Amino acid sequence: MELTPIYPLKLRAACKDYIWGGTRLRTEYHQQSDAPKVAESWMLSNHPDGPSTIVNGEEAGTLFPDYLKKAGKQVLGTDCEKFPDFPVLVKLIDAKNKLSIQVHPDDAYARTHGGGFGKTEMWYIVDCEPGASLYYGFDHPISSGEFRERIGNNTLEEVLNRAPVHKGDVFFIEAGTLHAIGAGILLAEIQQSSNLTYRIYDYGRLGNDGKPRPLHIAQALDVTRLSRPARPTHAQGSRETEAGYSRILLASCGVFTVYEMEIREAALCADGKSFHSLVCIGGDAILAKDGRPELSFRKGDSIFVPSGFGDYTVKGDCRVLWTTV
């Protein structure tokens, strides 16, 4: 059996043209789509609703899920062995207009109602317009009866926790947390590999087909936590400075660990424990191994470094979101 070569993969994102999206992901982050809007770019995705595509090396043109089937789980690392499938999905999201008020289930509910993973996620605010805000849980605990009543009479927004946003803010959205991204926000989302969303309220908007988009009230009533969010809206760690780079832990949980890194030159190692995902949100750089350039990347690029690739360096002037399991 021929072995799959182990090398860093540059990925082309699957793009989504949802009605609330803008154009910045195409014009500023070099995402490729013929649609008038690019609401989301699925930068690292093994999900069947939008898999990434490899664009470099021997596997160019291969869908990321097909690569994983051929390469085997060793490219994911031992920390992924506890998961039945590739566990994470990394997105860039351009919310020109506000998203629906929604919630995601946990793993147990997802397995019973549709299969696959539930969805815990984190948001990193890459950019935002002055005065932008989002909804993040409730501003005080409410009863299930009040929740149901407010959904029915369209007063739900009156009891939601409206959070102003600023560049660098971090929101950890545990499964069951009601939320909605507001207008004028560009963010990175690192999440479980799931596309299960229960839409609660959509402001009376019509979809691309001219009809109201479907709501999922019964499921939302089952899974929504009727309380204030537990986590603060800043990074989990403090910025650490090393020779050639600095980094800050944005969030860590049982599925993913995410750092924001500002790099001039950084020595990294993809050992046997986990793959590395690098999504560039500013600047450009070269990834090298043993002093030899392997891959160049720029703002808007997504790099998957397989587990077991070993020591490598990133050299340039860039900001990346670095995700492992």
Side-chain angles (χ1 to χ4, degrees):
M1 179 178 178
E2 184 178 354
L3 295 177
T4 303
I6 301 296
Y7 66 95
L9 308 177
K10 183 181 287 188
L11 303 175
R12 182 173 67 246
C15 294
K16 305 293 183 178
D17 63 344
Y18 304 136
I19 60 172
W20 42 262
T23 59
R24 294 184 64 185
L25 293 180
R26 179 170 51 241
T27 58
E28 298 179 33
Y29 290 81
H30 311 104
Q31 302 305 296
Q32 300 175 31
S33 173
D34 294 329
K37 299 176 181 179
V38 183
E40 296 184 356
S41 294
W42 293 19
M43 308 297 289
L44 172 64
S45 173
N46 187 56
H47 199 281
D49 291 346
S52 305
T53 303
I54 299 167
V55 298
N56 68 308
E58 296 181 37
E59 298 295 326
T62 302
L63 292 176
F64 188 60
D66 293 336
Y67 162 80
L68 292 182
K69 290 177 184 176
K70 182 166 60 172
K73 285 196 169 184
Q74 67 270 16
V75 299
L76 304 183
T78 56
D79 287 348
C80 287
E81 291 177 354
K82 60 186 176 183
F83 301 109
D85 299 300
F86 189 71
V88 299
L89 173 55
V90 180
K91 301 176 181 177
L92 293 178
I93 296 178
D94 176 18
K96 181 175 177 61
N97 296 299
K98 58 189 176 184
L99 276 68
S100 62
I101 297 172
Q102 58 190 244
V103 70
H104 308 297
D106 61 17
D107 289 347
Y109 192 92
R111 283 193 296 268
T112 307
H113 300 79
F117 293 113
K119 186 175 174 183
T120 285
E121 61 192 319
M122 64 137 285
W123 297 337
Y124 175 74
I125 307 300
V126 178
D127 198 9
C128 58
E129 295 177 1
S133 64
L134 53 81
Y135 288 135
Y136 180 43
F138 293 85
D139 64 7
H140 65 277
I142 69 169
S143 68
S144 58
E146 182 181 357
F147 185 38
R148 183 189 297 272
E149 182 179 348
R150 287 187 177 277
I151 292 172
N153 62 23
N154 296 326
T155 62
L156 183 60
E157 290 179 273
E158 294 178 7
V159 293
L160 300 186
N161 175 40
R162 179 182 174 274
V165 299
H166 312 87
K167 291 182 184 180
D169 285 349
V170 177
F171 294 82
F172 189 82
I173 314 292
E174 292 183 275
T177 303
L178 179 149
H179 58 277
I181 302 171
I185 298 174
L186 194 148
L187 61 80
E189 178 176 292
I190 293 84
Q191 58 160 94
Q192 289 181 271
S193 183
S194 170
N195 201 27
L196 273 178
T197 296
Y198 300 145
R199 193 179 295 123
I200 302 169
Y201 180 63
D202 199 32
Y203 319 102
R205 290 186 296 198
L206 303 179
N208 291 326
D209 60 0
K211 300 177 182 179
R213 298 199 295 170
L215 303 179
H216 313 93
I217 305 305
Q219 297 93 327
L221 289 168
D222 284 344
V223 306
T224 302
R225 300 181 182 185
L226 305 176
S227 60
R228 290 184 55 82
R231 292 211 185 190
T233 59
H234 55 71
Q236 188 173 331
S238 301
R239 185 163 294 276
E240 307 166 359
T241 301
E242 306 287 347
Y245 71 95
S246 68
R247 69 176 190 172
I248 184 169
L249 174 64
L250 301 182
S252 184
C253 64
V255 181
F256 51 76
T257 295
V258 187
Y259 284 86
E260 184 267 342
M261 301 183 69
E262 298 181 0
I263 299 175
R264 296 188 307 278
E265 183 170 1
L268 304 169
C269 181
D271 58 18
K273 292 184 177 181
S274 177
F275 65 88
H276 294 178
S277 166
L278 285 73
V279 172
C280 186
I281 55 174
D284 55 75
I286 294 175
L287 189 155
K289 184 174 179 66
D290 299 328
R292 298 188 300 274
E294 290 268 346
L295 190 62
S296 62
F297 61 87
R298 63 176 178 173
K299 180 180 179 179
D301 281 342
S302 173
I303 309 299
F304 174 84
V305 182
S307 174
F309 182 67
D311 295 331
Y312 65 97
T313 60
V314 174
K315 187 174 183 179
D317 184 6
C318 67
R319 292 175 61 219
V320 301
L321 298 178
W322 183 78
T323 302
T324 63
V325 170

